[in-house]
Structure formats: structure tokens, C-alpha cells
Amino acid sequence: MRALVWGLVLLLTACVPVAMLRPPEPARGLEASLGVTLLANPFASGNRDPVLPLPYLAVAKGDGQVEFNFSIQWGLRGGVKLGLGPGLALDAGLTVPPLFGPDWSQGVPVVLDGGAILGGDGFYFSPRVHLIGVPTSGGGSWGWAWQASLGTYRRDWVAEVGALGGFRGNGSLLIHLSAAWRFGTAP
């Protein structure tokens, strides 16, 4: 049973990038982040495994106006962040399943996400939407999800709490708490 729970959680996190952990300012130079996301286990029964940890790794490179980023949280996400002004950025990305594991043509999702990052003085809020495509041998299906993240950050760390809802059209809500150390950030 435990293997089934982990398998379902890994499939879900391959679908949608759970942790955002990106402040509104685009990177200046090369930055890296290493952290973890704690999820309320949507498959928990009783007191067994109420929280699931997922590792998080990200790399970003930018000039202070445009940032290209790459993150891994089981799924592989490549994205771009565009700074529009102090405390305001647009962020978009594509998440694909990992190179190992299930056959992509058998229902493993691919996700396009986009949203805004609003903030300043060490805090941010990010609403975003996800377009989820699930390829199958019969053609596949599409669904939408929404996400909202509220975070705080300093030069060498970032933490956030977030909610992900509407996954594939159902009313479930996935709550997460994430934190990461940041390396190589400009002073």
C-alpha cells in the first residue's frame, strides 16, 4: 500500500510543479536552490504518512530583467521569468515527466504553467494557472488547475506555503509548505 501511495504522489507531482520558490526579482548571474516540499498526503488513511516530503532542486541564470530557470521536483520544469518592474514579474514554464519511469504515451502528464509574482521587502504572492495535458493511446485529455503561493525570502533562503486546486477538474485541494537554501544570489 505504501508503494502505491508514493507512486500516486510522484505521478501527481510530475503533473504540476508544486513548489514555486521564486521571488519576484529575476536572477542576476547564476543561482541555485536546494530544498524540500512537504505535502499534506491526499491518500493518507488515519495517522499513517500524513505528510510527504519531496526534494526540490533549481538553477536560474539571468541579467536582472530576464531569467531562465530549470527545476526538478520529480518532473523536469524549464521556465522563463520576465521582470516588469520592482516587485512584479511574469513567470511561465513547461514541465515534462522525468526521463525514467512510466511511458510518456500512457497517461503521464505534460504541463504548461504561467502566472505573476507580486511582492517586495522579502515577501511575495504568486497566483498561477496550469494547463495539463495527459497523452494516452486514445488521444489524451486536457485539464486546468490553479495555484496560489505566499512566500518570504532573503538572500540565502526562501520559504512558501501554497495551495493547488482544481486538478483535472475535481475539487481537491493540495496544500504544501516548501523551503530552500539559495546559493550564488547577488547581494
Side-chain angles (χ1 to χ4, degrees), residues 25-31 60-67 182 184-187:
E25 298 84 14
R28 292 183 182 276
L30 185 63
E31 298 180 0
K61 183 168 176 63
D63 62 6
Q65 294 297 316
V66 177
E67 168 190 309
R182 301 172 69 205
T185 56

Side-chain angles (χ1 to χ4, degrees), residues 118-169:
L118 314 161
D121 295 327
F123 295 93
Y124 67 85
F125 172 68
S126 179
R128 78 184 38 242
V129 295
H130 303 272
L131 175 60
I132 305 163
V134 183
T136 61
S137 57
S141 64
W142 293 91
W144 290 94
W146 60 268
Q147 182 174 6
S149 300
L150 181 61
T152 184
Y153 63 99
R154 299 298 178 260
R155 190 178 67 79
D156 57 352
W157 60 269
V158 60
E160 75 180 28
V161 63
L164 177 66
F167 178 73
R168 300 238 3 189

